[in-house]
Amino acid sequence: MARAKSEDVEMAARSLQFADRARIHVFLASSDLHLEYKLKMTRARLSIRPPNRCVWRASLVDDVEFSPEDATRSDRDFLVEMVRVAVEAGAPPSTCPIRSAT
């Protein structure tokens, strides 16, 4: 498990170098609340590139998963875009609750 920070993903990959089947689970804040108070940034500043870049770095292992952190409080369109980018980068989500549109 690694935060979507290049150095965290690289460390996780190094720690798994001798594993028979290496898997890294990358996670990134997706709600405005977590973006503002944990990462000190906005959706616009985050862009969608960091998850893509970190998933690429994790491609050095056999298997990569992605989870948006705090997904149930996330803007639905932003969440869908974040998951789409991760899937296109080769990291299907392992956990991604999507609330109904009510």
Side-chain angles (χ1 to χ4, degrees):
M1 186 171 253
R3 296 176 296 178
K5 295 180 71 171
S6 297
E7 56 271 17
D8 288 13
V9 174
E10 289 170 4
M11 180 67 76
R14 280 197 304 271
S15 72
L16 295 167
Q17 66 183 336
F18 299 112
D20 290 334
R21 182 165 160 75
R23 173 183 291 163
I24 296 177
H25 184 114
V26 178
F27 62 94
L28 179 64
S30 59
S31 72
D32 290 336
L33 181 71
H34 278 210
L35 289 172
E36 181 180 353
Y37 292 103
K38 287 181 76 174
L39 301 182
K40 308 284 191 243
M41 63 177 55
T42 64
R43 281 189 243 164
R45 186 167 161 228
L46 172 70
S47 180
I48 221 61
R49 292 188 180 126
N52 192 12
R53 184 174 60 240
C54 289
V55 166
W56 175 83
R57 288 188 184 279
S59 69
L60 299 174
V61 298
D62 300 329
D63 194 5
V64 181
E65 295 176 331
F66 173 75
S67 287
E69 184 182 0
D70 201 28
T72 57
R73 290 190 283 191
S74 300
D75 174 80
R76 188 178 189 141
D77 292 337
F78 182 70
L79 178 62
V80 167
E81 179 66 8
M82 183 179 269
V83 171
R84 182 192 65 76
V85 168
V87 168
E88 286 180 359
S94 67
T95 58
C96 185
I98 305 257
R99 64 184 183 274
S100 63
T102 55

